[in-house]
Amino acid sequence: MGSVVERIPYDVWLHISTFLPRNVVENLYGVNSSFLKVSTAARYGVLTFSKHDKLMKRLWRHLSDPSKGVFVHEVNIDPWVVQPSLKPSFKQGGSLCALIGRIFDPPFDNRQLEQRVQKQLRKDIRRVIDAISVMPNLYRYSLGWKDDQAYHPELYRAFLAPVLSCIKDNLRSLSLNVPPELLHTLPSVYLPRLESLSVDLCTKEKSEEEIDRIFDSFVVFVNNLLGSLESLSISSRVPSRSLRLDRFFRMLGTFPHMRRFSLSIPFDGIHLRSSDELVKFLNKHRYTLNHLRLSASRCSPLDSPADPESKFWIRNTFTHLNTPYPYLRDLHLAIRPIRVDLTPLMKFLELHTLESLTLTERALTYSEVKAILDALRAYEHSNELKQLRLKLKHLTPALFELLATRIPRLALLELIFDDIVATAVHTRSSASASDPAHPIEDEFVGMSFNQTTLHPDCIVQRLFVDEIKKNRVLYASWGLVTLKLFQESSDRRVKDLFEVFADCIPAIQNYVDLTTESFNYA
């Protein structure tokens, strides 16, 4: 048996290990020589440096061995804070020279502390750079920053341009969230193979002139990626009082291989004076974009845009995107403001054949979902949609009937909803249902999940079973493989619905109760 196991190639064991939990794979190093390599690859494949402690020092020491570094393909660094401390001799009185220094020079101890901090920082920097220098297969790199916490600029300066220069030949993906003043160091770095760039911006109280100087340098770095960049993600967050991204988009060139673009700014649009420059940038890439994502983050009550129209930045962007993007297949969109007119979105959807659609923030009614499917031309087998993620006002059997009928080849369905309701009277007026600019509330009869005191099993039976089973023949041909559910307005878990759906939808293989998981839909 042992000889048979030994003859199985390493690549086969590596593939098998992808189906096992990582902590299990890490402990399989004693099985055989192939699993020693598989276990080492699992242990060192993705590394995070975020502490200054004994365990991290031991890790850095292990990584000095090139036989370990060869397995590393991703490194994430969240620079730490070195806590100043005096040697025991200083705490107890120390030498005569130190005692005299304290008497005649009161800041003596502070200087000693700062010298020790700087010495420790130099050691940490050397250890990290030495470790990264023996990672020939490192192709993903991330550098993080928490703007509300203290930090050492020395670490960011060392882990930005110097590290990038060390790994530039193989680097494919780069994620940066750094103090903005350090972005001006990047033009000296050329990354010939970088395919994915993600940048998170927080400029705090910097003036518009300071920000312009920073972006004048940063845009040079980005435009130097014209030959390789396929994915660009820009996000900004508060506080960034004087940040304006219009000028940045105007200075960006045309990236001939751009496939993915993502933008996330506060939902009030304070970081865009207008959507004109964004629209121009998107239109320059309309023949290459496959994936487009426009999302919104929280805004600050202390800062608000001067123009009240700024909050409609997503709607205004789609209003001007009136020509088709022939290769667009994936759209992720935050519907903000909540009551915004959906007409520009509907017109955009009519121009495209999507494989994946995600709509967040706004709880959609049954009528609005139906109007969206109409815009997508979702009529049985004529539709290519494979993945759909929506936020809903109500989860109803009528919705599942609609989706199964209109999108029979849908493979993944992810739904956030406020309440579960038994029976839906779809619309009050067929004319209103066809007008997404003036949505109406759906009327419902039957029992609400949150309006009963019955045991959850009884609720599930009473709400869904009868109506879902009534359409068992319809669901028998539905290709839905994965169903994910999250109920916002209740602490009750929705896993009890699984038996109902598994019994009536034969294709389902994966059911995820997102209520029990950390969940971020934005």
Side-chain angles (χ1 to χ4, degrees):
M1 179 66 180
S3 60
V4 174
V5 172
E6 292 289 345
R7 287 200 300 270
I8 297 178
Y10 162 74
D11 291 340
V12 174
W13 288 122
L14 184 62
H15 180 70
I16 293 173
S17 70
T18 61
F19 298 96
L20 301 175
R22 180 177 173 180
N23 62 326
V24 173
V25 178
E26 289 178 356
N27 294 318
L28 294 177
Y29 53 86
V31 175
N32 56 39
S33 58
S34 293
F35 259 105
L36 175 62
K37 293 175 64 178
V38 170
S39 176
T40 305
R43 182 170 299 186
Y44 293 101
V46 179
L47 298 178
T48 298
F49 303 151
S50 60
K51 297 179 181 178
H52 171 79
D53 57 14
K54 292 182 179 179
L55 290 177
M56 195 59 61
K57 290 180 182 178
R58 188 183 308 160
L59 174 61
W60 290 333
R61 188 164 56 250
H62 289 171
L63 291 172
S64 63
D65 180 358
S67 66
K68 303 290 193 306
V70 72
F71 292 102
V72 180
H73 60 80
E74 178 177 344
V75 169
N76 306 297
I77 300 182
D78 295 315
W80 46 93
V81 175
V82 175
Q83 299 297 335
S85 62
L86 291 172
K87 288 183 177 180
S89 60
F90 284 108
K91 295 177 182 178
Q92 299 167 5
S95 65
L96 178 62
C97 292
L99 181 60
I100 295 174
R102 292 193 190 92
I103 295 174
F104 292 99
D105 187 8
F108 178 81
D109 280 349
N110 290 336
R111 285 203 304 274
Q112 291 293 320
L113 287 172
E114 180 60 25
Q115 288 174 7
R116 287 184 58 79
V117 168
Q118 292 300 319
K119 181 178 180 181
Q120 188 59 58
L121 289 175
R122 288 193 293 272
K123 286 183 178 179
D124 289 350
I125 290 170
R126 185 178 67 252
R127 288 168 177 153
V128 171
I129 293 181
D130 287 349
I132 289 179
S133 65
V134 292
M135 298 177 183
N137 298 315
L138 177 61
Y139 65 86
R140 294 176 63 91
Y141 182 64
S142 171
L143 185 57
W145 172 52
K146 294 181 175 63
D147 59 88
D148 59 345
Q149 298 181 10
Y151 65 93
H152 298 295
E154 299 90 342
L155 293 181
Y156 284 94
R157 283 194 290 268
F159 297 155
L160 195 56
V163 168
L164 292 178
S165 298
C166 178
I167 61 178
K168 61 184 178 66
D169 291 332
N170 289 321
L171 193 64
R172 300 289 195 278
S173 176
L174 174 62
S175 178
L176 295 178
N177 177 10
V178 299
E181 60 271 14
L182 296 179
L183 293 175
H184 81 277
T185 65
L186 289 173
S188 62
V189 180
Y190 175 55
L191 305 176
R193 298 185 179 181
L194 192 72
E195 298 172 355
S196 175
L197 174 64
S198 177
V199 182
D200 195 354
L201 301 168
C202 180
T203 58
K204 291 192 171 184
E205 301 297 325
K206 290 189 179 298
S207 68
E208 192 167 347
E209 291 74 17
E210 291 177 296
I211 295 172
D212 285 347
R213 286 196 294 270
I214 292 170
F215 275 85
D216 285 343
S217 298
F218 179 59
V219 77
V220 173
F221 166 75
V222 179
N223 283 336
N224 281 339
L225 305 173
L226 290 176
S228 61
L229 194 66
E230 297 182 3
S231 174
L232 177 62
S233 176
I234 304 293
S235 62
S236 63
R237 64 185 188 276
V238 294
S240 298
R241 181 158 294 178
S242 300
L243 177 62
R244 300 293 181 269
L245 291 172
D246 312 66
R247 184 172 178 270
F248 175 67
F249 287 122
R250 183 168 63 252
M251 293 190 296
L252 286 177
T254 302
F255 299 83
H257 306 291
M258 179 76 71
R259 303 287 184 268
R260 297 173 175 264
F261 177 76
S262 173
L263 175 65
S264 175
I265 65 174
F267 66 78
D268 62 1
I270 191 172
H271 297 159
L272 278 177
R273 285 195 175 94
S274 77
S275 60
D276 294 347
E277 296 300 333
L278 172 60
V279 169
K280 291 178 182 177
F281 177 78
L282 291 175
N283 282 333
K284 286 193 296 187
H285 301 91
R286 57 185 291 260
Y287 288 107
T288 59
L289 277 180
N290 300 140
H291 307 266
L292 175 60
R293 175 172 181 153
L294 299 181
S295 54
S297 57
R298 69 177 183 89
C299 63
S300 171
L302 302 178
D303 301 318
S304 59
D307 185 358
E309 275 289 307
S310 296
K311 65 183 178 181
F312 296 104
W313 69 275
I314 295 179
R315 182 203 67 184
N316 294 339
T317 298
F318 279 91
T319 299
H320 294 94
L321 294 180
N322 46 25
T323 54
Y325 284 45
Y327 300 103
L328 186 66
R329 295 294 178 266
D330 183 357
L331 179 63
H332 184 126
L333 185 65
I335 302 179
R336 280 283 190 169
I338 298 298
R339 303 301 297 175
V340 70
D341 179 10
L342 295 180
T343 302
L345 171 62
M346 299 298 184
K347 291 182 177 179
F348 184 82
L349 293 178
E350 290 173 356
L351 298 174
H352 299 89
T353 302
L354 299 179
E355 296 178 359
S356 176
L357 175 63
T358 302
L359 300 176
T360 67
E361 302 290 345
R362 172 166 163 174
L364 299 169
T365 66
Y366 176 93
S367 302
E368 290 170 338
V369 173
K370 185 174 182 298
I372 289 169
L373 297 184
D374 290 341
L376 287 169
R377 303 180 304 281
Y379 301 107
E380 299 185 354
H381 295 281
S382 63
N383 191 258
E384 298 296 327
L385 199 64
K386 300 295 190 300
Q387 299 183 7
L388 182 62
R389 300 173 179 87
L390 300 174
K391 184 173 183 179
L392 303 171
K393 188 173 182 63
H394 299 291
L395 186 72
T396 69
L399 176 74
F400 282 92
E401 179 182 349
L402 175 70
L403 296 177
T405 303
R406 302 286 293 274
I407 322 175
R409 290 185 286 184
L410 187 68
L412 182 148
L413 179 61
E414 190 169 316
L415 301 174
I416 307 177
F417 53 93
D418 292 331
D419 200 5
I420 300 174
V421 180
T423 306
V425 177
H426 300 171
T427 60
R428 300 176 192 167
S429 156
S430 59
S432 298
S434 63
D435 183 7
H438 301 88
I440 65 171
E441 297 294 333
D442 294 326
E443 292 183 345
F444 295 92
V445 297
M447 182 177 292
S448 167
F449 188 55
N450 289 333
Q451 294 173 343
T452 181
T453 57
L454 294 177
H455 188 276
D457 290 341
C458 299
I459 297 170
V460 170
Q461 293 293 323
R462 191 163 182 178
L463 289 174
F464 271 167
V465 172
D466 290 342
E467 293 187 65
I468 293 294
K469 286 187 175 181
K470 183 174 62 178
N471 290 305
R472 185 188 296 272
V473 175
L474 171 64
Y475 298 136
S477 59
W478 197 14
L480 187 66
V481 175
T482 300
L483 177 62
K484 301 182 180 183
L485 298 178
F486 178 81
Q487 185 173 9
E488 289 189 313
S489 60
S490 174
D491 293 332
R492 294 187 178 99
R493 297 172 63 179
V494 295
K495 69 173 185 179
D496 298 308
L497 298 176
F498 174 63
E499 292 183 6
V500 178
F501 291 120
D503 180 52
C504 298
I505 308 175
I508 284 188
Q509 299 177 14
N510 306 305
Y511 180 92
V512 182
D513 178 6
L514 295 171
T515 311
T516 63
E517 300 184 356
S518 58
F519 186 67
N520 182 5
Y521 206 40

